[in-house]
Amino acid sequence: MAINPSIITRDLDKISEPTGNLYESIHIIGQRAKQISSSMKEELNNKLSEFASTVDNLEEVFENKEQIEISKFYERMPKPSTLAMEEFLEGKLYFRHPDETIEE
């Protein structure tokens, strides 16, 4: 059985350290993963839209090797949740409570 490199055991104390609450940290990571996912999806759709045809005829639809390579590249990229977790643990994410005022 092959080992999935995206499955990593995480130290829950390190995850909860920046916020003091594990669930709040997971929520922040989840929100960032949504942002990453939507930007990756938009980027992929923009690249694939170059190959879109206006013809709906199945006989004229063909495989485009460049389109397949672009899709495979995005499939091999790290998952948004993994990227968000790394950003959070490296302290690259800015987060705050909306009801708190920003102290200068």
Side-chain angles (χ1 to χ4, degrees):
M1 175 179 243
I3 298 174
N4 188 345
S6 65
I7 299 175
I8 300 172
T9 304
R10 304 282 183 177
D11 184 5
L12 298 181
D13 292 333
K14 286 183 182 178
I15 295 172
S16 63
E17 187 176 306
T19 61
N21 185 332
L22 176 64
Y23 300 104
E24 184 176 353
S25 296
I26 296 297
H27 177 73
I28 292 166
I29 294 166
Q31 293 299 315
R32 178 62 181 141
K34 285 181 188 177
Q35 291 175 341
I36 294 170
S37 177
S38 65
S39 67
M40 286 173 65
K41 184 176 180 180
E42 182 178 333
E43 185 179 317
L44 174 63
N45 287 337
N46 288 338
K47 288 183 180 182
L48 293 179
S49 67
E50 298 171 7
F51 303 104
S53 67
T54 56
V55 180
D56 290 337
N57 190 349
L58 290 177
E59 294 173 1
E60 297 182 20
V61 175
F62 61 93
E63 290 185 2
N64 187 332
K65 289 186 179 183
E66 292 177 10
Q67 186 177 7
I68 293 170
E69 288 301 316
I70 290 171
S71 296
K72 286 183 178 179
F73 172 76
Y74 277 90
E75 287 176 6
R76 288 188 299 262
M77 288 181 69
K79 304 295 180 222
S81 56
T82 303
L83 294 173
M85 179 67 76
E86 292 301 320
E87 288 179 3
F88 184 77
L89 293 176
E90 292 172 4
K92 295 180 180 178
L93 292 184
Y94 170 75
F95 57 90
R96 66 180 179 86
H97 293 282
D99 54 343
E100 292 179 359
T101 58
I102 300 174
E103 297 179 16
E104 296 180 16

